[in-house]
Amino acid sequence: MTQKVTVVEVGPRDGLQAEAQIISPAQRTQLITLLKTAGLACIEVGSFVSPKAVPQMAETHVVLESLKSLGSLDPYMVLVPNDQGFQEAARAHVKQIAFFTAVSQTFVQRNIQCSIEESLLRLKGMMPQAKAAGMRVRGYISCIMGCPYEGDVPPAAVVALTEQLLMLGCDAVSLGDTIGVGTPHRMRNLLKQVKQVAPLSALALHCHDTYGQALPNIYEALSCGLRIFDSSIGGLGGCPYAPGASGNVSTEDLLYMLDGLGMETGVDRSLLLQATVYVRDTLKLPLRSRSACADLKI
Amino acid sequence: MTQKVTVVEVGPRDGLQAEAQIISPAQRTQLITLLKTAGLACIEVGSFVSPKAVPQMAETHVVLESLKSLGSLDPYMVLVPNDQGFQEAARAHVKQIAFFTAVSQTFVQRNIQCSIEESLLRLKGMMPQAKAAGMRVRGYISCIMGCPYEGDVPPAAVVALTEQLLMLGCDAVSLGDTIGVGTPHRMRNLLKQVKQVAPLSALALHCHDTYGQALPNIYEALSCGLRIFDSSIGGLGGCPYAPGASGNVSTEDLLYMLDGLGMETGVDRSLLLQATVYVRDTLKLPLRSRSACADLKI
């Protein structure tokens, strides 16, 4: 089995949007550039959402213009919640878009103000134009292990939604344990079922570290054959009012494990620390990455 | 394979001794009582070392007297570094002692001021009296995955030392990744070799979470058949001057995983949170347990 693993860096979007501090488009561009330099081949750089709803992601088009002036936009992904956002992404010549849905009606409603079915119709509507523009399309499925509003989620619902997203034309599906409640046996059970309807190369795992379980779950997913994992520099994405609360699994801790397992990621951990330091100095946050704290001796 | 797992709580000793704040024997007793009430069947409650060297562990005899007045001393373990400490433990009628050594000469020298060979002679010297008193004896092997002073450590050295400790009469050996540098494949490789010389029932794993790798390593050890794991309430044991730095794997996160895997620990997670809250309120530390922060919504 291949030892190549793709780490999808989601800190500049999923991470930053959950932090109270707002950093400028220039600072976001600098962070993304450091991440790119460290070897991350796919980076989620922003979203086209209402700046009133998510001020952290305002002026994503400015970030993209800066990135374009520095090189190709190929490595960069942008989240679009609806057709309006999609049109902005198209105008910015984005090459990868991500679209959000979830296995919980309540969660989808609160996030993009529509039902699961309506979210799929939105996606279906934008797909022809996305394909014509040569965009890669990623579908996010949130709440795969449980929903903060609806509680437990049946694995069959995740399987069915994965299948629908792929049938609609998604190139990849990112399975998100958004509230970090999963443990390895449940993860294995779910992935075994999802693998029946999706090729491994189209599946990513997106683990939040709320209960400290992200790495054992990712380790289990590796042994199930998955090779794409989302993570966030410095563990960005926790609540700034809660020093210990945790967001996405940190890219640093994930890479420490992958390096130790002999997986090839193309990422240089010492260069990555420059991005970590930038996050710390810019956002003035306590880092939520254990290995970064160890490496930086803080 | 049995689903029973023993969690050995080391917070009141290995945890507290690494924290700058010193809490009183009465507070230590209160913490230990809360841990016992939560269902922890083995708790390391202190050590008989010089109070000048380790002021956090001063008056361990007072803690033991208080615990004795509340019930049996059977669940409690005490660390003894030498014969003087052992005699104090014997006078206190302790039923379980732990003895420290490591696979690194420098680490042993810095911790108990002797060589590895001398440490084994010390243990040999106290063993007849320990056995006569019906004590259980645990041997700690530190630095199983690497030493802060000497770097890499060959697995064969860990195997040989495990064998020696068992031959000297230890009932159990706790394998400590004291600096938290291990990853699952290395852990599996080491445990495969150690299992050749030791029954699984005599092996414990002691993981520090320095690089965030404790739970994947423990998960791997579970699949290797180990069923005894050390952990520390609230992740006690990090450096108080480093908000993110990490000590032992937290008991809360370990139990979250074990519960999710269907393992029987006898520990009630909601009762355990009362000990967590006591640690937070007494030591005024940011908690180093992700699940505790999630459960307490802090």
Side-chain angles (χ1 to χ4, degrees):
Chain A
M1 193 175 300
T2 174
Q3 299 300 302
K4 283 206 175 167
V5 166
T6 301
V7 174
V8 176
E9 170 62 48
V10 300
R13 198 281 299 175
D14 198 31
L16 285 182
Q17 73 171 22
E19 303 288 351
Q21 296 96 317
I22 296 176
I23 65 174
S24 71
Q27 289 172 313
R28 287 159 63 193
T29 305
Q30 174 65 10
L31 171 60
I32 293 159
T33 304
L34 289 168
L35 292 164
K36 174 76 169 44
T37 305
L40 285 152
C42 179
I43 306 173
E44 195 178 44
V45 298
S47 59
F48 285 114
V49 292
S50 155
K52 276 180 201 148
V54 190
Q56 296 91 336
M57 293 293 103
E59 302 194 275
T60 286
H61 65 282
V62 176
V63 174
L64 286 163
E65 278 160 25
S66 305
L67 291 172
K68 203 174 175 184
S69 74
L70 297 167
S72 162
L73 285 185
D74 287 356
Y76 305 124
M77 182 162 64
V78 172
L79 183 79
V80 299
N82 51 33
D83 189 64
Q84 191 184 330
F86 172 71
Q87 295 306 335
E88 290 186 73
R91 279 195 293 278
H93 303 288
V94 162
K95 297 288 190 263
Q96 298 187 55
I97 58 166
F99 183 80
F100 164 92
T101 190
V103 273
S104 151
Q105 292 287 7
T106 318
F107 202 78
V108 175
Q109 193 69 46
R110 297 217 181 186
N111 270 270
I112 56 173
Q113 294 77 50
C114 67
S115 68
I116 298 173
E117 296 72 23
E118 286 162 342
S119 77
L120 296 179
L121 286 176
R122 285 187 193 179
L123 180 62
K124 193 177 179 181
M126 60 182 77
M127 196 62 84
Q129 193 183 338
K131 291 290 170 183
M135 290 177 181
R136 256 183 79 82
V137 182
R138 163 184 259 216
Y140 275 116
I141 302 183
S142 280
C143 303
I144 61 162
M145 288 278 161
C147 165
Y149 312 114
E150 298 184 7
D152 279 352
V153 163
V158 181
V159 174
L161 197 50
T162 301
E163 204 167 12
Q164 285 175 288
L165 288 173
L166 293 173
M167 281 178 56
L168 284 172
C170 283
D171 301 285
V173 172
S174 174
L175 304 166
D177 183 6
T178 332
I179 53 172
V181 293
T183 42
H185 289 181
R186 284 184 63 209
M187 183 59 75
R188 185 200 309 162
N189 176 49
L190 174 67
L191 295 179
K192 221 163 75 178
Q193 295 179 57
V194 174
K195 278 161 64 180
Q196 307 286 322
V197 302
L200 283 172
S201 59
L203 289 177
L205 186 64
H206 179 106
C207 289
H208 283 233
D209 203 26
T210 322
Y211 292 85
Q213 308 299 311
L215 285 189
N217 281 318
I218 290 171
Y219 182 59
E220 184 71 25
L222 272 170
S223 82
C224 293
L226 267 73
R227 291 292 180 270
I228 311 173
F229 300 99
D230 299 356
S231 64
S232 175
I233 186 78
L236 279 178
C239 172
Y241 305 110
S246 180
N248 292 279
V249 64
S250 81
T251 306
E252 299 91 327
D253 292 1
L254 173 60
L255 279 165
Y256 188 96
M257 184 174 82
L258 293 172
D259 281 359
L261 296 173
M263 299 285 161
E264 297 165 25
T265 63
V267 183
D268 181 312
R269 283 183 60 235
S270 57
L271 286 176
L272 188 68
L273 275 185
Q274 299 185 15
T276 311
V277 168
Y278 190 78
V279 165
R280 182 194 62 185
D281 295 348
T282 312
L283 285 149
K284 313 249 183 281
L285 285 175
L287 293 173
R288 292 187 207 93
S289 162
R290 308 254 200 229
S291 68
C293 289
D295 282 333
L296 297 170
K297 301 193 193 312
I298 56 174
Chain B
M1 193 175 299
T2 174
Q3 299 299 302
K4 285 209 173 163
V5 166
T6 301
V7 174
V8 176
E9 170 62 48
V10 300
R13 198 282 299 175
D14 198 31
L16 285 181
Q17 75 171 23
E19 304 287 351
Q21 295 94 319
I22 296 176
I23 65 175
S24 70
Q27 290 171 312
R28 288 160 61 193
T29 304
Q30 175 65 10
L31 171 60
I32 293 159
T33 304
L34 289 168
L35 292 164
K36 174 76 170 45
T37 304
L40 286 152
C42 180
I43 306 172
E44 195 178 44
V45 298
S47 59
F48 285 114
V49 291
S50 154
K52 276 181 201 149
V54 190
Q56 296 92 334
M57 292 293 105
E59 301 195 274
T60 287
H61 66 281
V62 176
V63 174
L64 286 163
E65 278 160 25
S66 305
L67 290 171
K68 203 172 176 186
S69 74
L70 297 166
S72 163
L73 285 185
D74 286 356
Y76 306 124
M77 183 162 65
V78 172
L79 184 79
V80 298
N82 50 33
D83 190 64
Q84 191 184 331
F86 172 71
Q87 295 306 334
E88 290 186 72
R91 277 195 294 278
H93 302 289
V94 163
K95 297 289 190 261
Q96 299 186 57
I97 58 166
F99 183 80
F100 165 92
T101 190
V103 273
S104 150
Q105 293 288 7
T106 318
F107 201 78
V108 175
Q109 193 69 46
R110 297 219 181 184
N111 270 270
I112 55 172
Q113 294 76 49
C114 67
S115 68
I116 298 173
E117 296 71 23
E118 285 162 343
S119 76
L120 296 178
L121 287 175
R122 285 188 192 178
L123 179 63
K124 192 175 179 183
M126 61 182 77
M127 195 61 85
Q129 194 184 338
K131 292 289 170 182
M135 290 177 182
R136 256 183 79 82
V137 181
R138 161 184 260 217
Y140 276 115
I141 303 182
S142 279
C143 303
I144 61 162
M145 288 277 162
C147 166
Y149 312 113
E150 297 185 9
D152 279 352
V153 162
V158 181
V159 175
L161 196 51
T162 302
E163 205 169 10
Q164 285 176 289
L165 287 173
L166 292 173
M167 280 177 56
L168 284 172
C170 282
D171 301 284
V173 172
S174 175
L175 303 165
D177 183 7
T178 331
I179 53 172
V181 293
T183 43
H185 290 181
R186 284 184 62 208
M187 183 59 75
R188 185 199 307 161
N189 175 49
L190 174 65
L191 294 179
K192 220 163 75 178
Q193 296 179 57
V194 174
K195 278 162 64 180
Q196 307 288 321
V197 302
L200 283 171
S201 60
L203 289 177
L205 186 64
H206 179 107
C207 289
H208 283 234
D209 203 26
T210 321
Y211 292 85
Q213 308 298 312
L215 286 188
N217 281 319
I218 290 171
Y219 182 58
E220 184 70 25
L222 271 170
S223 82
C224 293
L226 266 73
R227 290 293 180 269
I228 311 171
F229 299 98
D230 299 357
S231 64
S232 173
I233 186 78
L236 280 178
C239 172
Y241 304 110
S246 182
N248 291 279
V249 64
S250 81
T251 306
E252 299 92 327
D253 292 1
L254 173 61
L255 279 165
Y256 188 95
M257 183 173 84
L258 294 173
D259 281 0
L261 296 173
M263 300 284 161
E264 296 165 24
T265 63
V267 183
D268 180 313
R269 283 183 59 236
S270 57
L271 285 176
L272 188 67
L273 275 184
Q274 299 186 14
T276 311
V277 168
Y278 189 78
V279 164
R280 182 194 63 185
D281 295 349
T282 311
L283 285 150
K284 313 252 183 278
L285 285 176
L287 292 173
R288 292 185 207 96
S289 162
R290 307 256 199 228
S291 68
C293 290
D295 282 333
L296 297 170
K297 301 192 192 312
I298 55 172

